[in-house]
Amino acid sequence: MVAFSRIRQYRKLPLIVAALCAPLLLLAILFANQSFKAIHFINQERLGVAYLRPVRELLSAIDAGKPPEGNTLAASAERLNRKLALQADYAAFRQVLDDRSAGRAQTTAATRAFLTQIADASNLTLDPHIDSYYLMNTAVNLLPDTSIHSAAVMDLLAKTATGGLTSENAASLNTEIALLDLAASNSRGSIASAIRGNPDGKVSAAVTPALTRFNAAESAFHDQAERMASQAAAGNRPTAADLGKLKATHAALMSSTDALWHATTDELERLLKARSHADLARLWLLLGLSAIIALAAIGLTFYFDLYIQHDEVLKLNATLRQSNEELERFAFICSHDLQEPVRMMNLYASFLAEAESVLSDNEAMRYVGKIRDSAEHMRRMISDILTFSQIGREPVETEVVDCNAVLQSVLAEFADTIIRTSATVNAGPLPVLISSRTLVHSLLHNLIGNALKFQDGRQPPQVDISAIRDGQMWRFLIRDNGIGMDESHTEQVFTLFRRLNRKEDYPGTGIGLAICRKFVRMAGGDIGFTSRPGEGTLFFFTLPVRE
């Protein structure tokens, strides 16, 4: 606790430690931020893969001629739609599924489109890795296209068994067979790209058996469809045996397509899981590095304790130097300022002694009054010297200080002056501080008193009081419309018993602003002013923000 209290007291040490550790900590934060983003990105992809599975099963059921039921999605759809922001897309998709008048082509197209929407929403289409991107492309785009076009070929060949092959159907059949070949060829090419992008060979080992089976089934179905299309083009309707063989090859193609889809999806999920674990490990490593840096910073803090003690000695020397300067100032005051009232008392006492017989009672009383005034002035100066010398000798007790309440107390003390001079005092909201109530009261009392006192009498006094937050300091502003002064006299204004005006015009000993500066600096702030003769004065002082 002692070390940390010293750190709060001496600001240089934390700055040194921060300068040493900040670059490393900044790098750790940047890398950690990248890891968090990568983990979130991959988790979104894994959610997308999880969502693809039930939608793919639904598409397989539709391709097999079963009624499109969306109930298999109900268990996971709500959670996944919310996480992937797919509520609107899912609602449109379910509307097609629930529409009993929708044909298989419309339902298949809607399911195929929803697969793409899932991939887009879950970042799968943005995956920067070659292997996982091409596995995604195979699962989301190419294999569904194979299923769709093979089903279309089945439907068109089935029509030729009852109505023959029209020219329109012939064109559609040739197109669908060509699209089936293209989709199957693109699937093989995409899987080959994924295998090339995965140097450890695991993707090849997992996908190759299913791909071999898919190639054989697709080739068999393609050959049977081509044969039947040629027969239909020659005017021969397909026989029951031909249709049976076509259905068998199509079932084998659908089975092999599902097997290949699951193989590619399983590998995609495995790759994403492995990358997620790697990013988590990297994140933990960075957090560990950050902890080591933090411990190193703490070690440096204690290591530099000697520097703190050296700083303490420097501050004590500065305090001693200030005390010596004040002693020299007091010596000057005693040798100069305090001699003036003594000289005046001696002068008027001499007048009384030398001209006692010729002085009237009124003249004698006037001399006695002068002696009394000089004595009173000397008493005030000695009292002010004592007050000034005692500031800072005892530790300042801090408390919660409502500056608004202190201001009202000060204004109450000047109530008679404000009424007599018709003064206007405007005060904005002031802060609540952890400070000394005596300190705040003395500052406001001296500055507001000067603002009311140093007036030329040609207009009613006006005083504006406000405070603004300036970083770790509160800046108090007190503006008046008084006689103003030359800013070149700054040091003289804050020097003990130094005045810019005659005491006959503006009474006082000239200690108020010196006390203000000593109070403010003792609290860790500063004080100053801006002014021009005849244009009023703006005094400002700062006090630290302490939580």
Side-chain angles (χ1 to χ4, degrees):
M1 293 300 295
V2 173
F4 286 107
S5 65
R6 286 178 174 176
I7 290 175
R8 287 192 296 269
Q9 183 178 0
Y10 299 95
R11 298 180 180 178
K12 292 182 180 179
L13 180 58
L15 290 176
I16 292 174
V17 175
L20 293 173
C21 300
L24 294 176
L25 288 175
L26 181 60
L27 287 175
I29 291 172
L30 290 175
F31 282 122
N33 183 51
Q34 291 180 352
S35 295
F36 276 120
K37 289 182 178 179
I39 291 171
H40 176 72
F41 188 93
I42 292 175
N43 286 340
Q44 290 291 100
E45 290 186 283
R46 294 179 68 182
L47 286 174
V49 173
Y51 207 170
L52 290 176
R53 293 185 183 276
V55 178
R56 169 62 192 183
E57 292 175 2
L58 183 63
L59 181 60
S60 297
I62 296 171
D63 287 339
K66 298 178 182 178
E69 297 290 344
N71 295 333
T72 56
L73 297 176
S76 56
E78 182 177 354
R79 178 178 64 89
L80 294 173
N81 286 332
R82 185 176 62 255
K83 288 181 176 294
L84 299 175
L86 280 169
Q87 293 91 334
D89 297 320
Y90 179 73
F93 174 51
R94 282 303 302 261
Q95 186 175 2
V96 176
L97 293 183
D98 296 337
D99 186 2
R100 297 301 179 182
S101 63
R104 186 169 74 168
Q106 184 178 357
T107 306
T108 300
T111 308
R112 170 70 177 77
F114 191 56
L115 283 172
T116 303
Q117 290 166 349
I118 292 173
D120 291 338
S122 61
N123 302 323
L124 284 169
T125 54
L126 300 177
D127 194 304
H129 300 91
I130 295 177
D131 48 3
S132 51
Y133 174 80
Y134 280 106
L135 289 174
M136 176 281 304
N137 185 48
T138 304
V140 172
N141 298 315
L142 302 178
L143 290 179
D145 285 348
T146 301
S147 300
I148 291 172
H149 294 307
S150 65
V153 171
M154 277 288 299
D155 290 343
L156 290 170
L157 288 175
K159 289 180 181 179
T160 62
T162 57
L165 185 64
T166 64
S167 58
E168 181 179 355
N169 288 343
S172 298
L173 180 59
N174 291 331
T175 300
E176 291 298 334
I177 291 175
L179 291 175
L180 172 61
D181 288 343
L182 179 62
S185 176
N186 288 340
S187 297
R188 288 188 285 269
S190 183
I191 291 175
S193 297
I195 291 173
R196 284 194 299 271
N198 183 255
D200 61 8
K202 293 183 178 180
V203 171
S204 177
V207 176
T208 298
L211 179 61
T212 302
R213 180 184 167 192
F214 169 79
N215 289 337
E218 191 275 331
S219 177
F221 178 77
H222 177 269
D223 291 343
Q224 182 63 20
E226 284 282 0
R227 188 180 304 110
M228 293 179 64
S230 299
Q231 292 175 356
N236 299 321
R237 293 185 180 184
T239 63
D242 290 334
L243 289 175
K245 188 174 182 180
L246 182 66
K247 290 179 180 179
T249 55
H250 182 259
L253 176 59
M254 291 298 96
S255 176
S256 64
T257 302
D258 284 342
L260 183 58
W261 190 91
H262 285 291
T264 56
T265 306
D266 290 344
E267 277 304 290
L268 175 60
E269 194 167 27
R270 181 189 66 80
L271 291 172
L272 294 176
K273 185 176 181 180
R275 285 170 190 150
S276 177
H277 290 168
D279 286 333
L280 279 173
R282 185 162 48 250
L283 177 61
W284 279 112
L285 179 62
L286 289 171
L287 293 177
L289 178 62
S290 300
I292 292 173
I293 293 174
L295 291 175
I298 295 173
L300 286 173
T301 301
F302 286 99
Y303 177 78
F304 279 104
D305 185 60
L306 181 61
Y307 170 83
I308 294 178
Q309 295 179 11
H310 177 259
D311 199 35
E312 287 178 343
V313 172
L314 293 179
K315 286 186 178 294
L316 289 174
N317 288 339
T319 303
L320 182 60
R321 188 181 305 109
Q322 182 179 355
S323 298
N324 289 336
E325 292 174 356
E326 291 177 358
L327 285 174
E328 292 177 1
R329 195 176 299 122
F330 287 158
F332 176 80
I333 290 168
C334 292
S335 64
H336 183 272
D337 292 2
L338 291 180
Q339 288 186 15
E340 175 63 18
V342 172
R343 188 183 67 81
M344 296 302 295
M345 286 189 290
N346 184 49
L347 175 64
Y348 287 109
S350 298
F351 287 164
L352 285 174
E354 293 174 0
E356 180 180 2
S357 59
V358 298
L359 288 176
S360 65
D361 291 342
N362 289 336
E363 289 177 318
M365 290 303 296
R366 185 169 66 84
Y367 288 155
V368 171
K370 292 289 186 180
I371 293 173
R372 186 184 299 111
D373 290 343
S374 296
E376 176 62 22
H377 180 60
M378 185 173 183
R379 186 195 65 79
R380 288 199 305 268
M381 291 181 69
I382 293 173
S383 176
D384 288 342
I385 290 173
L386 180 61
T387 300
F388 186 80
S389 65
Q390 289 177 341
I391 296 176
R393 298 198 178 277
E394 297 294 332
V396 178
E397 296 184 1
T398 60
E399 58 182 315
V400 178
V401 180
D402 185 351
C403 295
N404 298 285
V406 176
L407 175 62
Q408 295 305 315
S409 175
V410 171
L411 294 179
E413 296 173 6
F414 288 110
D416 293 340
T417 303
I418 293 173
I419 294 173
R420 176 172 50 81
T421 59
S422 300
T424 301
V425 179
N426 301 314
L430 302 182
V432 176
L433 299 174
I434 303 296
S435 187
S436 166
R437 184 180 182 87
T438 302
L439 182 150
V440 176
H441 185 278
S442 178
L443 289 171
L444 293 177
H445 187 277
N446 277 290
L447 295 177
I448 294 174
N450 286 349
L452 294 172
K453 179 170 63 175
F454 290 99
Q455 298 282 336
D456 56 13
R458 291 182 294 181
Q459 57 183 346
Q462 179 172 333
V463 184
D464 298 318
I465 306 163
S466 60
I468 57 174
R469 179 76 177 264
D470 185 8
Q472 292 301 309
M473 306 292 284
W474 276 104
R475 180 180 291 270
F476 291 77
L477 308 171
I478 300 177
R479 185 189 301 274
D480 63 58
N481 62 342
I483 61 175
M485 55 185 152
D486 194 334
E487 292 183 6
S488 63
H489 297 147
T490 299
E491 282 304 316
Q492 185 176 350
V493 165
F494 291 108
T495 301
L496 197 63
F497 297 139
R498 287 291 175 265
R499 303 171 52 89
L500 300 181
N501 305 282
R502 298 191 310 160
K503 66 180 180 180
E504 291 82 2
D505 297 332
Y506 300 99
T509 60
I511 195 175
L513 290 177
I515 290 177
C516 286
R517 181 159 72 172
K518 192 167 184 179
F519 262 140
V520 169
R521 289 185 173 178
M522 184 177 63
D526 203 359
I527 186 170
F529 70 89
T530 59
S531 179
R532 288 185 179 179
E535 298 183 8
T537 303
L538 170 64
F539 270 95
F540 56 86
F541 65 90
T542 58
L543 292 176
V545 176
R546 293 189 177 95
E547 301 298 337

